[in-house]
Amino acid sequence: MFQKYKSYQFARPEKSRALVLAIYFLLLQALGSVVLGFWSSAESNVDATAVNVAGRQRMLSQRLAKCLLELDRLHQDKGGSKLLQEELNLTYDLFDQTLVNFSNNTVVDRGENTLTLEIAKSEKARMLINRAYGLWSPIQVALRPILDRPESYSVAELDHATAIVMRDSLPLLTVMNDLTNVIEDAAHKKTEMFNFVQGLASLLMLVNFAFVLYFFKRQLNQLTESKSVLRRIMENVATAIIVIDDAGNIESGNRAAEYMFGYEAGKLAGMNMKELFSEPAYPIVGRRRSGERFSLDISLADIPEMKRPLSIMSLQDISAQKTQEEKLSHLAYHDALTGLPNRLLFIDRLEQTLARAHRHNELFAVLYIDLDGFKPVNDLMGHATGDLLLQSVASRLSDCLREG
């Protein structure tokens, strides 16, 4: 293949040299696109973990207050106090370790892997983390006697710790909520940046490929084997490429395109693009031979100076990216245990309902449901059983209501 380029350089050295450089650049772009995809996926995983952990901190700050109030009420009940003491210790350790991780610009995922959290290095995030430490320090001091001497702390020490936690719990909750929002906003901006870079890379790849085709078109009049040369270049490009006419009939497709849609070599030629796509929609949905559907990013450009109208289509499977974005969005607005909308989504929907009711002069109701006897389940049977109960109740509620 390189010998063919070399022999042609004697006739048109400038054009052949530009063509070889364009091909190398195209291959580098394809490699860069793959690397960018992996990088985007890894960053999205870190951001999703950070959003989930920051949201958990808010829950833990509330749980501290709940444990102390229950200890104050049940300190005479040795069995109940022991369970609450264990819960208090676990909640304290988890909140403290997570705050230390945020301070060190790290976050730990479910696999206990320590991930670097670049978002935590921002000025706003550092300010919120320092503020959280300022609120957490008095709570640590107040809780030490209860944590260090679970069998011998005094009622006065318990009352003092409860007062400190009740005083600082809401400000701490607010700070962690603000930190969650900062991480969330930074994650969305990062996702938008990756989408922009990937779109720009696809556009540059398409322009570069059109540049390659332009030179090949000029060489087709002089080289008898130009068609095989063009085919080899297409096959060496990792991006799926399809050439179509103005009616959408496929002239050719490279191996990457055949692999993407699940067809054997040469089977795409002669098909129509309607056979590869689902009904017109955005984002564009491709259809493999097996019937599986997947999200697509498509760039299209005309091939100039051809005897009949032809276009070149560059396709990229973005299913993994869409799934990661949906996962990130779901983690931010849904409870991890029950899968139900969390406080952020509830407040958003409530504000929308308030605005709609005000606009149309209507009334609406908010139904508050409490679980009687839930606390004894947690105390006597453990939090794992309590979690199962919450999941069961959430499932039953979901079965009783419309999806909307």
Side-chain angles (χ1 to χ4, degrees):
M1 181 176 179
F2 292 104
Q3 184 63 35
K4 293 174 184 175
Y5 293 141
K6 185 177 180 181
S7 63
Y8 188 64
Q9 286 176 355
F10 288 106
R12 295 175 181 264
E14 296 83 9
K15 293 182 179 179
S16 290
R17 191 177 300 113
L19 180 60
V20 172
L21 289 175
I23 293 172
Y24 280 134
F25 187 56
L26 186 62
L27 294 175
L28 287 175
Q29 285 178 316
L31 179 61
S33 179
V34 173
V35 172
L36 185 63
F38 281 107
W39 185 21
S40 173
S41 178
E43 288 296 316
S44 297
N45 180 56
V46 174
D47 293 340
T49 301
V51 170
N52 189 31
V53 171
R56 185 187 64 190
Q57 288 292 85
R58 296 176 296 172
M59 178 194 70
L60 292 175
S61 65
Q62 294 175 305
R63 190 187 292 180
L64 278 174
K66 171 194 166 186
C67 289
L68 288 173
L69 289 173
E70 291 298 322
L71 277 174
D72 189 51
R73 187 172 66 86
L74 296 176
H75 66 276
Q76 296 299 331
D77 181 2
K78 299 301 182 182
S81 295
K82 183 178 180 181
L83 291 173
L84 283 171
Q85 189 75 37
E86 292 175 355
E87 181 180 356
L88 180 63
N89 290 345
L90 178 62
T91 302
Y92 174 91
D93 291 340
L94 193 56
F95 188 98
D96 186 66
Q97 185 57 51
T98 303
L99 197 57
V100 170
N101 290 339
F102 274 137
S103 181
N104 294 331
N105 306 318
T106 59
V107 66
V108 179
D109 63 12
R110 293 184 178 180
E112 300 301 320
N113 299 310
T114 301
L115 308 175
T116 300
L117 184 61
E118 294 295 334
I119 299 174
K121 297 180 181 179
S122 68
E123 181 178 352
K124 192 171 184 179
R126 299 309 305 176
M127 180 187 69
L128 290 171
I129 293 171
N130 291 335
R131 191 183 301 170
Y133 260 118
L135 293 168
W136 178 240
S137 295
I139 295 177
Q140 286 181 298
V141 173
L143 287 177
R144 285 319 322 168
I146 300 174
L147 297 174
D148 296 339
R149 296 182 282 103
E151 301 296 334
S152 60
Y153 62 84
S154 66
V155 175
E157 289 172 329
L158 178 60
D159 290 341
H160 174 68
T162 303
I164 295 297
V165 170
M166 294 302 295
R167 182 194 69 187
D168 294 338
S169 178
L170 183 57
L172 186 59
L173 177 66
T174 302
V175 170
M176 297 313 302
N177 186 61
D178 292 341
L179 181 60
T180 302
N181 292 334
V182 168
I183 295 174
E184 221 173 70
D185 292 341
H188 284 307
K189 290 179 180 178
K190 189 185 296 182
T191 299
E192 291 174 358
M193 181 196 71
F194 275 119
N195 290 339
F196 173 79
V197 173
Q198 286 177 331
L200 182 60
S202 298
L203 179 61
L204 290 175
M205 191 180 300
L206 188 61
V207 170
N208 193 34
F209 193 81
F211 179 77
V212 172
L213 288 181
Y214 171 75
F215 274 93
F216 265 111
K217 194 243 177 211
R218 300 188 65 173
Q219 292 185 13
L220 286 176
N221 297 327
Q222 304 175 27
L223 300 175
T224 57
E225 53 185 37
S226 59
K227 185 175 181 179
S228 63
V229 174
L230 175 61
R231 186 66 188 177
R232 290 174 190 174
I233 292 176
M234 289 182 62
E235 295 303 338
N236 285 318
V237 175
T239 302
I241 297 170
I242 293 176
V243 178
I244 60 174
D245 61 18
D246 56 350
N249 298 314
I250 300 176
E251 294 286 323
S252 63
N254 65 353
R255 275 197 289 265
E258 292 166 349
Y259 177 80
M260 177 180 287
F261 290 98
Y263 287 90
E264 294 83 11
K267 293 297 183 180
L268 286 180
M271 297 178 62
N272 191 278
M273 292 304 297
K274 293 181 180 178
E275 300 177 60
L276 302 181
F277 296 156
S278 298
E279 293 299 321
Y282 183 83
I284 299 172
V285 178
R287 184 172 59 245
R288 307 191 203 278
R289 187 179 184 183
S290 62
E292 178 188 356
R293 286 168 167 74
F294 61 102
S295 299
L296 273 174
D297 181 41
I298 295 179
S299 300
L300 185 68
D302 294 332
I303 303 177
E305 300 183 19
M306 299 296 290
K307 294 181 180 179
R308 58 193 181 91
L310 287 179
S311 300
I312 181 170
M313 183 178 291
S314 173
L315 307 97
Q316 184 178 9
D317 186 347
I318 58 172
S319 300
Q321 176 184 328
K322 297 291 291 183
T323 300
Q324 192 65 31
E325 291 174 357
E326 292 170 0
K327 180 181 178 181
L328 181 62
S329 177
H330 189 274
L331 285 173
Y333 293 104
H334 290 80
D335 177 61
L337 177 65
T338 64
L340 296 178
N342 63 12
R343 182 179 298 182
L344 289 177
L345 187 56
F346 169 75
I347 292 176
D348 177 70
R349 295 297 185 268
L350 181 61
E351 290 174 349
Q352 293 181 22
T353 304
L354 280 167
R356 184 169 59 252
H358 179 72
R359 185 167 59 252
H360 297 291
N361 196 24
E362 297 174 347
L363 298 176
F364 71 93
V366 176
L367 179 62
Y368 179 87
I369 299 178
D370 190 22
L371 292 182
D372 292 337
F374 176 73
K375 183 189 173 301
V377 174
N378 265 342
D379 292 344
L380 299 177
M381 304 182 71
H383 291 283
T385 303
D387 289 347
L388 290 174
L389 176 58
L390 287 176
Q391 290 172 334
S392 176
V393 172
S395 175
R396 295 185 184 186
L397 288 175
S398 299
D399 292 340
C400 295
L401 299 173
R402 297 193 307 272
E403 184 177 354

